[in-house]
Amino acid sequence: MAMQNSREDPVTVVADDPDELWQDLLETLRPEGAVREVGPGRLEVASDETTVTVLVTPDQWVEVVAAYVDDDLGMYVAELFGSRDDDEGFVVFWDGRLTGSTREELPPVRGRASERTVARLRAEHGDGQLHWRA
């Protein structure tokens, strides 16, 4: 199956074979950084800024794809990595899906880096000085 590396080109799930789906995952993670399998069910995705450890087995990945991917693997992975907080160094399989976590042990613990940044900015500039702009 031909895979594409760029987020601009959608990666479509067309395989039912667990081995092919696993290869699809590895290929789809590449825009996020250099991908290495460091152990069974343990992947490292290293970018210039950070290394994220992804903890999912091939069988768990099949379960995620069946329940949540909706044929666009690239979008699923982009949303997963885009929604991680800066202090979430892990992506873990929990409750049938992948989620960011500050630790590899289950249950996952979501990060609070963004919350702490907003609190620091409020302390420095006051509530009236924070404005979100698109």
Side-chain angles (χ1 to χ4, degrees):
M1 165 173 27
M3 298 297 300
Q4 296 140 347
N5 267 343
S6 127
R7 284 200 182 124
E8 292 83 35
D9 298 324
V11 176
T12 303
V13 176
V14 295
D16 290 326
D17 177 45
D19 292 332
E20 285 186 49
L21 286 174
W22 186 252
Q23 291 306 310
D24 290 350
L25 172 62
L26 298 177
E27 186 70 26
T28 306
L29 286 170
R30 284 195 173 91
E32 303 300 333
V35 180
R36 277 186 336 131
E37 286 189 72
V38 294
R42 189 177 190 94
L43 307 170
E44 284 184 353
V45 181
S47 69
D48 291 338
E49 297 86 33
T50 189
T51 297
V52 176
T53 302
V54 179
L55 301 167
V56 62
T57 67
D59 289 339
Q60 291 168 335
W61 177 240
V62 169
E63 188 177 330
V64 170
V65 169
Y68 296 103
V69 171
D70 197 29
D71 291 337
D72 190 346
L73 187 56
M75 180 62 72
Y76 178 82
V77 169
E79 287 176 1
L80 174 67
F81 272 74
S83 67
R84 275 185 335 93
D85 215 335
D86 289 343
D87 55 352
E88 294 174 356
F90 299 91
V91 170
V92 298
F93 178 80
W94 175 253
D95 198 26
R97 68 179 68 191
L98 295 179
T99 187
S101 181
T102 60
R103 63 185 192 175
E104 62 183 285
E105 296 83 16
L106 298 176
V109 174
R110 294 306 310 249
R112 298 183 64 199
S114 296
E115 181 181 320
R116 286 192 294 270
T117 298
V118 169
R120 179 182 54 78
L121 290 171
R122 279 192 175 135
E124 291 172 3
H125 303 287
D127 283 340
Q129 299 296 320
L130 292 178
H131 300 281
W132 296 104
R133 297 175 193 219

